[in-house]
Amino acid sequence: ELLAFFSLLPVLYTVCLATHAVFGRDLRVAFVLVGGVLTSGLCTILKMIIQEPRPNKDLLLLVVPNSQVHGMPSNHSSYMTFIAVFSILFAIRRCGNMEGPSAFVKQTKRWLVPTVCTFTAIICCYSRIHLGYHTNSQVGVGAIFGWIMAIIWYTLYERYYITQWAPALEQLLNVWDFRSPHESNDIGYAVKKSLDARRKIFKQRQNGWKRE
């Protein structure tokens, strides 16, 4: 049924983010992906510590492997909530000037991704309960954990990633033209080259030009 598909959204999100990070050479997407995977991994560790079983197996619509019998907290709800909250925080703080004739279009683009992420997170959480994989509390705790991790990860993004980690990674991975695009109101924007300028420099270096 359709809810079974929504239950697999974390896998789809991971594949999409990884594909965009690699083929789009986007370090910022990679940063978000690492945060989501870390959140899910920490949930797995918490499951091993708490060891709260999933709902009665007789209620399951699908089979759960014996290696995944513990359900507190839910990896799916934590991962999806992490992505949704991070996208909301990003839209609020890093989407630049929303004034002028094209303000409506900019606002639409600004909130499209957070809206989709939030909607899919809610549906995914519901599907985990409906399909019998988790109890309400397991999904709820997972969502809270994802919410907390998103705030922590976004704080790291603003305080360290923009001004310190991104420039270092761009320099380290310059040969592959990995980049971290920034908006005009990003903290470290003034000391960064524009994306077009960096691409131009990269092409010039490929052609044998070296900057003085």
Side-chain angles (χ1 to χ4, degrees):
E1 68 184 81
L2 183 60
L3 287 178
F5 167 77
F6 282 105
S7 183
L8 297 175
L9 281 177
V11 177
L12 178 62
Y13 271 42
T14 300
V15 171
C16 291
L17 290 173
T19 300
H20 183 72
V22 173
F23 292 98
R25 298 186 294 277
D26 195 325
L27 292 172
R28 188 169 60 188
V29 172
F31 180 80
V32 176
L33 176 61
V34 170
V37 173
L38 177 62
T39 300
S40 183
L42 290 176
C43 276
T44 300
I45 295 175
L46 289 175
K47 284 182 179 180
M48 298 171 61
I49 296 174
I50 300 173
Q51 295 187 354
E52 178 178 306
R54 295 176 185 269
N56 192 319
K57 288 187 177 181
D58 294 336
L59 300 178
L60 291 177
L61 300 181
L62 298 174
V63 178
V64 175
N66 292 331
S67 60
Q68 301 178 18
V69 294
H70 304 308
M72 174 65 84
S74 167
N75 293 69
H76 288 66
S77 65
S78 64
Y79 183 94
M80 295 298 292
T81 303
F82 171 87
I83 298 296
V85 174
F86 190 96
S87 66
I88 291 173
L89 293 173
F90 186 89
I92 292 174
R93 297 182 59 83
R94 304 244 70 88
C95 280
N97 185 15
M98 293 294 164
E99 299 177 355
S102 60
F104 176 77
V105 176
K106 291 180 180 179
Q107 287 285 3
T108 301
K109 292 181 178 180
R110 177 185 192 178
W111 291 108
L112 179 60
V113 172
T115 300
V116 172
C117 289
T118 301
F119 173 76
T120 53
I122 294 173
I123 298 298
C124 181
C125 290
Y126 173 76
S127 72
R128 301 302 290 178
I129 298 173
H130 177 79
L131 296 174
Y133 279 110
H134 293 286
T135 62
N136 293 346
S137 60
Q138 291 170 353
V139 169
V141 171
I144 293 174
F145 183 74
W147 181 77
I148 294 173
M149 283 295 298
I151 293 177
I152 295 174
W153 206 246
Y154 188 82
T155 301
L156 293 176
Y157 174 82
E158 285 207 338
R159 292 188 179 182
Y160 301 103
Y161 174 82
I162 295 174
T163 57
Q164 300 178 34
W165 299 346
L169 288 171
E170 286 178 342
Q171 183 176 3
L172 179 65
L173 302 174
N174 181 63
V175 66
W176 294 290
D177 193 29
F178 273 87
R179 62 193 184 276
S180 183
H182 293 279
E183 291 67 38
S184 58
N185 65 336
D186 270 350
I187 297 173
Y189 182 85
V191 296
K192 286 180 168 294
K193 300 179 181 69
S194 67
L195 177 58
D196 291 338
R198 279 181 282 158
R199 283 177 171 173
K200 181 178 179 181
I201 291 174
F202 177 77
K203 291 180 180 179
Q204 289 173 329
R205 286 177 178 174
Q206 281 187 318
N207 295 329
W209 176 83
K210 294 184 179 180
R211 185 170 52 182
E212 295 295 331

